[in-house]
Amino acid sequence: MAAANPAQSLREEVSCSLCLDYFSDPVTTVCGHNFCRPCITQSWEGSKGGFPCPLCRKRSRQKNLRANRQLAKVAERVKNLYENLGSPVEEDLCEKHKEKVKLFCEEDQTMICLVCRESRDHRAHLVTPIEEAVQEYKEKLEMQLEPLREDLEDLLEFKSAEGKKAEELRSETEIKRQKVESEFEELHQFLNKEKQVLLSRLEEEEEKILQRIRENVSQLEEQSSSFTQLISEIEEKRQQPDAELLKDVKDTLRRCQKMTFPKLKAVSTDLKMDFDLNYPQRLKKLIIKFGGLDWWMEYHKYGVNVTLDVKTAFPYLFLSEDQKSVGKEGRKETLPDNPERFDLFPFVLGCEGFTSGRHYWEVEVGNVTAWIVGVCKESVRRKGAIIMSPSKGYQALWCCNRRGYWALTSPQTQLQLRESLQTVGILLDYEAGKVSFYNADTKSHLFTFTGTLKGKLRPLFSNYCKFPLRIRPVQPRN
């Protein structure tokens, strides 16, 4: 194969293979190879059984060296020529041997010269010519570019689609908001307050979906930036000189392989609320059937503002700032282990205590799959195992993973309901000795405990899952 650089080839011809410098007092061995006299003499020091040629290893019995004056003149002229013209720029010289690098070590990911190839450090390694290595890695980088560009395009499309979802959601929300408002315009002031509750839930549902969309958009923007940066880096690397291109090339390829399309949360823009928009019309029918608002408003005559008592809360429960909702967290809250606190079951009591009168409050159970609501004596056991029954100071309803609803009598009484409860109304009639439970949405009776517990009674709440159980505001009426 013809030399790629004739000037470099000429220089190698007039250089000693031992010192790698221009010949100095060159001599020729019996086998015809040339060396500097000092170099060959030094290599034979301590040699026994003949004098071997450093290149072909052929031995001679005597130091038969002939001075090569013609080669000395040629070497001197080449040396002067290089000095007069200025040394050529050596961009890729081996730092150790000052030889041109011609090979690429796959194991050490570095370029080496021919002398390095025969050294102990690289002798057992797989090496390839630099030209082949450059071509191979260029092809590998090129293979990574197209899928990265396609993924970036898909990311941008998803980002656009998520933006359209948000607009569609806002439009659908506005339509349903107008429907709710138009339905409630014809009702009494009491129904107007119910309207505000529905609108609040609608906006909460919208905000939840928008938050998921915003999270997806944010993730898409972040991933798009990463893809853009990596593509730019690869395109820049492909234009670099061989040495720079091969430097850390495997790390670049490894990052390409790690770049994956983000796992987005599936977002549906359907407003899956825990009520339906025919609710106002059903209320109208109930009002007509029962002769007005008096039947419904009877419950609210005794409405009380119940809040949660943080001093009694099980450590894994999380209470909202307004002390109106409670959910079960995976981490333990840092709370003092005071005597009032439940330490084994996820219970929390209301701050209010009742020793007389009638009191009504409502609890939104919504998506909570396992819960308990009711009343209990203030003196109930707070530490260790608890048996829930009227004889132990409890009168409550229990939902068990939505597989059924039970009144915690002794033995327990299963309630036969046609649909899942969303909001439970609780009416305590202290003097009558009754605690009654209602479906607050349909105003249908669920169960009544008789023989109400004596002493101070407090609202009881229990939540076994992360979805919040919330006390719904009930305005007392005169």
Side-chain angles (χ1 to χ4, degrees), residues 419-431:
E419 56 186 6
S420 298
L421 291 174
Q422 298 298 316
T423 306
V424 179
I426 304 166
L427 178 63
L428 167 64
D429 190 340
Y430 196 94
E431 282 73 21

Side-chain angles (χ1 to χ4, degrees), residues 96-363:
K96 184 176 182 180
H97 302 108
K98 305 304 179 185
E99 282 286 296
K100 182 174 177 62
V101 291
K102 295 184 176 182
L103 303 172
F104 181 68
C105 177
E106 293 285 352
E107 184 166 336
D108 292 338
Q109 288 288 291
T110 185
M111 294 188 295
I112 61 175
C113 67
L114 295 173
V115 180
C116 293
R117 175 67 181 93
E118 298 301 324
S119 67
R120 183 177 302 172
D121 293 338
H122 298 279
R123 189 179 301 161
H125 294 174
L126 174 64
V127 298
T128 56
I130 285 179
E131 294 81 2
E132 295 182 11
V134 168
Q135 185 61 33
E136 177 185 353
Y137 284 109
K138 277 187 176 180
E139 292 175 357
K140 289 182 178 180
L141 291 172
E142 180 64 30
M143 291 174 62
Q144 295 296 329
L145 273 177
E146 188 59 30
L148 286 173
R149 291 193 183 101
E150 292 177 357
D151 285 345
L152 175 59
E153 183 178 349
D154 291 341
L155 283 170
L156 296 176
E157 289 180 2
F158 267 91
K159 178 182 174 183
S160 175
E162 293 298 294
K164 291 180 181 178
K165 281 185 180 180
E167 291 299 323
E168 293 171 358
L169 174 65
R170 293 188 185 97
S171 176
E172 181 184 356
T173 303
E174 181 60 29
I175 293 173
K176 293 190 176 183
R177 180 183 289 111
Q178 292 176 2
K179 183 177 181 180
V180 171
E181 290 178 349
S182 64
E183 289 291 339
F184 276 89
E185 284 298 328
E186 302 174 6
L187 296 177
H188 192 270
Q189 181 181 1
F190 176 79
L191 295 180
N192 282 332
K193 294 193 175 185
E194 289 294 308
K195 175 193 68 176
Q196 296 302 323
V197 173
L198 293 177
L199 291 177
S200 175
R201 294 183 188 177
L202 181 62
E203 290 171 357
E204 288 176 3
E205 187 72 10
E206 178 192 19
E207 182 58 31
K208 289 179 182 178
I209 299 176
L210 283 174
Q211 180 60 32
R212 298 190 192 104
I213 293 175
R214 284 193 289 266
E215 290 173 358
N216 279 356
V217 171
S218 176
Q219 188 176 357
L220 288 167
E221 288 177 345
E222 181 179 352
Q223 200 74 348
S224 297
S225 177
S226 298
F227 273 89
T228 302
Q229 182 177 353
L230 184 56
I231 289 172
S232 176
E233 181 181 335
I234 291 177
E235 289 177 340
E236 180 180 349
K237 195 169 189 64
R238 292 178 64 244
Q239 304 302 322
Q240 293 176 347
D242 298 347
E244 290 298 322
L245 184 145
L246 293 172
K247 184 178 180 180
D248 299 328
V249 68
K250 279 198 172 180
D251 179 65
T252 302
L253 291 172
R254 190 179 301 110
R255 287 191 292 120
C256 291
Q257 295 166 358
K258 287 184 178 180
M259 292 294 287
T260 59
F261 198 82
K263 296 181 179 179
L264 300 177
K265 297 179 181 178
V267 178
S268 172
T269 55
D270 293 334
L271 294 169
K272 299 178 180 178
M273 302 168 62
D274 57 354
F275 66 96
D276 68 64
L277 295 176
N278 292 323
Y279 181 39
Q281 293 184 357
R282 294 206 311 270
L283 292 178
K284 289 180 184 177
K285 293 179 181 179
L286 285 172
I287 292 170
I288 295 172
K289 179 178 179 181
F290 290 94
L293 289 171
D294 293 342
W295 172 83
W296 189 11
M297 292 176 64
E298 181 68 22
Y299 295 93
H300 291 256
K301 288 171 60 176
Y302 311 110
V304 289
N305 182 24
V306 176
T307 55
L308 301 171
D309 186 358
V310 67
K311 297 191 301 296
T312 66
F314 178 63
Y316 283 87
L317 292 179
F318 179 80
L319 276 58
S320 62
E321 291 184 1
D322 62 359
Q323 295 178 262
K324 287 288 188 179
S325 67
V326 57
K328 191 170 184 292
E329 293 288 318
R331 56 184 176 82
K332 184 177 181 181
E333 290 287 317
T334 305
L335 299 171
D337 187 18
N338 50 287
E340 300 96 328
R341 190 177 310 285
F342 292 92
D343 68 348
L344 191 59
F345 290 89
F347 291 172
V348 60
L349 299 183
C351 293
E352 297 68 28
F354 309 116
T355 56
S356 63
R358 294 179 179 178
H359 310 279
Y360 177 76
W361 62 96
E362 294 179 350
V363 184

